[in-house]
Amino acid sequence: MIWEQAPDYDQLSARAASLLLDSIRANPQIVLGLPTGKTPTGMYERVVRDCEREYHCFKDVTTFNLDEYVGIPKEHDGSYATYMKRVLFDHIDIDPSHTHIPNGMSHNLEFECRRYEAEIDDAGGIDLTFLGLGRNGHIAFNEPGTPFRSRTRVVDLSESTRAANAAYFPDGNVPSQAITMGIATIMASKRIVLLATGSGKQEAIARLRSRQISVDFPASVLWTHPNVHVLVA
Ligand code: PGA
């Protein structure tokens, strides 16, 4: 595991954006796993800005988002589909049919989870996944206690997670479930970059650094992966 300390959030975002763009330069047909949340917005902003300044080609890139809410139409302001369009997809030359986000409106959610895993397989697996870090060590919506063998599935959101995301749902209808990639799905990515920043994350960063691997702290599983880069600020 490579640990890299950036002096501040701006430089963490710049570094993450260059890891992402370098990976596309090295493999224009790369398959990326992408996160949502507050942490990666600076990285996406940089990617978009760099693409405006210098041509970067997303034409043959494929993306799989980590998760999506259940029961929220993709056009809803709070959906991760809307988030991704707002921060990245609407500003780059990616083919929309190459972007994948679980369908939380599916009438058959179990089937949707299996379908998502199959889509990842059909794409040849994920080459590089970016992750955020939850204060409790969660990765995607895999909360403490999640088995390391878990795959894409429907999860109930904890009250603290719902409270953290309430601002995106001003009508008060904060979703209670999500579809998330499982821990084993994430670990199958050939390479992983984890981003963590801010005073609220320092305890989680210290816990990850302690190298104690436990299902009580999902991100600790990353110590068992051969190619992880942790970027902190
Ligand atoms: P954040 O969320 O980037 O919004 O802090 C990260 C996470 O909880 O996974």
Side-chain angles (χ1 to χ4, degrees):
M1 187 182 278
I2 298 170
W3 280 78
E4 189 176 339
Q5 175 82 43
D8 57 31
Y9 178 65
D10 262 6
Q11 293 188 57
L12 173 137
S13 301
R15 180 77 176 118
S18 74
L19 290 174
L20 194 155
L21 291 170
D22 284 351
S23 75
I24 297 174
R25 265 190 288 270
N27 175 9
Q29 298 185 339
I30 196 166
V31 180
L32 296 173
L34 295 180
T36 51
K38 286 195 270 300
T39 310
T41 54
M43 171 181 79
Y44 292 134
E45 234 171 70
R46 281 282 185 154
V47 167
V48 168
R49 220 185 309 151
D50 286 2
C51 288
E52 278 164 3
R53 211 172 33 221
E54 183 196 336
Y55 182 64
H56 290 287
C57 190
F58 276 79
K59 194 166 60 66
D60 297 320
V61 171
T62 297
T63 64
F64 286 91
N65 267 81
L66 299 174
D67 42 23
E68 178 59 288
Y69 294 113
V70 165
I72 300 295
K74 64 178 194 302
E75 300 75 22
H76 188 289
D77 271 357
S79 77
Y80 287 158
T82 296
Y83 170 104
M84 288 308 298
K85 278 167 68 66
R86 188 172 61 234
V87 302
L88 186 66
F89 296 155
D90 279 353
H91 313 286
I92 55 172
D93 63 347
I94 197 159
D95 178 341
S97 72
H98 294 175
T99 67
H100 304 273
I101 301 182
N103 175 12
M105 292 296 282
S106 169
H107 295 299
N108 186 339
L109 294 168
E110 301 294 314
F111 175 79
E112 172 59 12
C113 295
R114 287 198 300 277
R115 189 194 64 79
Y116 202 64
E117 288 273 341
E119 261 186 336
I120 295 173
D121 281 349
D122 289 349
I126 299 177
D127 296 303
L128 170 61
T129 297
F130 287 83
L131 295 176
L133 175 67
R135 285 171 188 239
N136 60 2
H138 71 219
I139 46 176
F141 276 129
N142 296 292
E143 298 287 2
T146 303
F148 288 168
R149 66 174 183 285
S150 55
R151 309 294 311 200
T152 301
R153 68 204 186 287
V154 176
V155 291
D156 293 331
L157 299 179
S158 67
E159 280 315 309
S160 62
T161 299
R162 295 181 74 217
N165 293 306
Y168 298 103
F169 300 92
D171 58 3
N173 290 323
V174 187
S176 56
Q177 289 188 315
I179 293 178
T180 184
M181 278 187 200
I183 292 182
T185 320
I186 293 169
M187 289 292 283
S189 176
K190 295 181 188 80
R191 189 176 159 213
I192 294 173
V193 175
L194 179 133
L195 311 175
T197 183
S199 52
K201 299 287 171 72
Q202 296 309 313
E203 215 177 299
I205 291 168
R207 194 159 169 197
L208 177 60
R209 215 187 266 270
S210 77
R211 212 181 171 146
Q212 283 173 37
I213 300 165
S214 158
V215 291
D216 295 334
F217 193 77
S220 65
V221 73
L222 297 173
W223 282 105
T224 66
H225 190 285
N227 196 347
V228 176
H229 193 139
V230 178
L231 258 176
V232 297

